[in-house]
Amino acid sequence: MTGTETRRGAAGRSFLAGLIGAGIGQSLTPPMHEREAARLGRRLVYRTIDIARLGMEPRSVGYLVEAAARLGFDGLNITHPCKRLVLPALDGLSAEAEALGAVNTVVFGADGAVGHNTDWSGFARSLRHELPDAPKDRVVVLGAGGAGAAVAYALLVSGVRELVVVDVDASSAEGLAARLTERFPGADCRSGAPDGLGRALAGADGLVHATPTGMAHHPGLPLDPALLRPSLWVADVVYRPVRTELLREASARGCRTLNGGGMAVFQASDAFGLITGLEPGAEHLHAHFRELLARE
Ligand SMILES: NC(=O)C1=CN([C@@H]2O[C@H](COP(=O)(O)OP(=O)(O)OC[C@H]3O[C@@H](n4cnc5c(N)ncnc54)[C@H](O)[C@@H]3O)[C@@H](O)[C@H]2O)C=CC1
Ligand SMILES: O=C1C[C@@](O)(C(=O)O)C[C@@H](O)[C@@H]1O
């Protein structure tokens, strides 16, 4: 997007957005969007639509998307467990959302409801921003769910040549590695079992952790910290808390680290641009994020 506002963001227009998912009451994405709009002198109302609180099934995301379009929403974020289930309700997909088979942003416009994925671009921007000079030839991704798939895609777009995907669910890791191989035939994408993690990490430049382990309600470590050596960079997608047990262990062992806050901020930044047509300021979104965390 350029510095010029598009028609979608034409002066005076206000915005209505929402997040559909389960257990999203504490999400920082709604206040990030609202604060950034206010900073730009615009009104944006962003609501959480929590299917767990509403007693709705994940597959009802299609019904909710259609209702949001009729009610005049400009766009939506979609999160767990609906990122794949939302696909049949959409009229179009960005190339990346199609490749990933997952959508976290829906924009309502002249082309109907169009799905995008800003998880991958959010991680790619965070990596570029915070670890620009780190070696990125060989990387291990732990966790082959929605976040793991987005991260793996971002890594391959960013030039990673060898990628190993590890998951306790072997079929998830194998499926993701196979899809990535098809999409990036020039790269070496393999799946690995958790008991082979030590071997995979021994030859790696970096590790990205993309399982829910380390979240406030799911504390702990996803691996044996003895596997972390100082030359390995370690990224976590978990951002509640921002400093996870894994990142604390990695820092203590001399590893460079990247927390999940950058991905959270940049996915919001990219979604905000798509939904409003306005140009967000990434540094301002970082500041909103820091202030929101500090309030807790
Ligand atoms: N920073 C950000 O902007 C974002 C962060 N996230 C975070 O990413 C995390 C994962 O989310 P999703 O991918 O949506 O979850 P998911 O449930 O789709 O996938 C998690 C995967 O991890 C695997 N797994 C669980 N424990 C494991 C272990 N100990 N070793 C290996 N594999 C294991 C599961 O089998 C599953 O395939 C969550 O904490 C979520 O909050 C998700 C999206 C954006
Ligand atoms: O999965 C996530 C995290 C999120 O749901 C949040 O609560 O910040 C916002 C979504 O856009 C993103 O894809």
Side-chain angles (χ1 to χ4, degrees), residues 94-219:
S94 70
E96 293 83 7
E98 185 164 11
L100 281 161
V103 159
N104 85 321
T105 303
V106 175
V107 179
F108 299 116
D111 299 328
V114 178
H116 300 261
N117 190 302
T118 68
D119 286 332
W120 85 268
S121 57
F123 182 78
R125 287 180 70 186
S126 170
L127 190 63
R128 253 195 331 270
H129 188 247
E130 290 176 52
L131 292 179
D133 54 345
K136 296 181 192 80
D137 267 356
R138 291 175 293 182
V139 179
V140 176
V141 175
L142 184 58
V151 158
Y153 187 90
L155 289 167
L156 291 163
V157 169
S158 309
V160 166
R161 290 189 302 114
E162 280 182 43
L163 190 85
V164 182
V165 185
V166 177
D167 198 294
V168 282
D169 178 351
S171 67
S172 293
E174 284 160 15
L176 177 58
R179 291 198 301 280
L180 293 169
T181 299
E182 205 173 305
R183 181 81 187 176
F184 299 92
D188 175 5
C189 304
R190 278 170 282 136
S191 58
D195 62 5
L197 189 58
R199 241 184 350 271
L201 285 176
D205 298 314
L207 162 71
V208 186
H209 170 249
T211 87
T213 313
M215 292 178 78
H217 63 268
H218 200 317

Side-chain angles (χ1 to χ4, degrees), residues 12-295:
R13 196 175 177 295
S14 63
F15 301 97
L16 180 58
L19 170 65
I20 299 179
I24 51 179
Q26 303 302 312
S27 173
L28 297 185
T29 290
M32 276 198 277
H33 279 244
E34 289 186 345
R35 282 175 176 227
E36 186 55 7
R39 185 190 70 80
L40 292 165
R42 306 297 287 271
R43 181 161 163 70
L44 182 150
V45 175
Y46 191 120
R47 289 281 179 260
T48 49
I49 304 165
D50 191 327
I51 56 167
R53 285 189 59 191
L54 292 168
M56 296 175 93
E57 293 292 322
R59 65 172 180 275
S60 53
V61 63
Y63 161 78
L64 290 171
V65 166
E66 199 185 315
R70 284 173 185 244
L71 290 169
F73 276 67
D74 295 288
L76 296 167
N77 280 128
I78 309 289
T79 192
H80 183 79
C82 302
K83 286 181 184 178
R84 295 179 88 87
L85 292 168
V86 72
L87 295 178
L90 303 176
D91 301 301
L93 289 177
S94 70
E96 293 83 7
E98 185 164 11
L100 281 161
V103 159
N104 85 321
T105 303
V106 175
V107 179
F108 299 116
D111 299 328
V114 178
H116 300 261
N117 190 302
T118 68
D119 286 332
W120 85 268
S121 57
F123 182 78
R125 287 180 70 186
S126 170
L127 190 63
R128 253 195 331 270
H129 188 247
E130 290 176 52
L131 292 179
D133 54 345
K136 296 181 192 80
D137 267 356
R138 291 175 293 182
V139 179
V140 176
V141 175
L142 184 58
V151 158
Y153 187 90
L155 289 167
L156 291 163
V157 169
S158 309
V160 166
R161 290 189 302 114
E162 280 182 43
L163 190 85
V164 182
V165 185
V166 177
D167 198 294
V168 282
D169 178 351
S171 67
S172 293
E174 284 160 15
L176 177 58
R179 291 198 301 280
L180 293 169
T181 299
E182 205 173 305
R183 181 81 187 176
F184 299 92
D188 175 5
C189 304
R190 278 170 282 136
S191 58
D195 62 5
L197 189 58
R199 241 184 350 271
L201 285 176
D205 298 314
L207 162 71
V208 186
H209 170 249
T211 87
T213 313
M215 292 178 78
H217 63 268
H218 200 317
L221 276 170
L223 46 68
D224 176 356
L227 298 176
L228 305 172
R229 58 189 152 71
S231 56
L232 186 76
W233 55 263
V234 178
D236 206 331
V237 301
V238 172
Y239 76 93
R240 304 295 287 274
V242 164
R243 201 162 157 71
T244 57
E245 218 171 310
L246 173 64
L247 294 185
R248 281 206 304 272
E249 288 285 350
S251 296
R253 286 170 164 74
C255 304
R256 295 176 72 183
T257 60
L258 173 66
N259 69 48
M263 180 179 179
V265 166
F266 285 116
Q267 65 77 28
S269 175
D270 289 348
F272 180 92
L274 287 164
I275 292 170
T276 63
L278 302 174
E279 183 151 17
E283 70 289 3
H284 294 287
L285 277 156
H286 273 285
H288 305 324
F289 183 75
R290 279 194 302 272
E291 284 165 20
L292 289 161
L293 278 181
R295 279 177 155 207

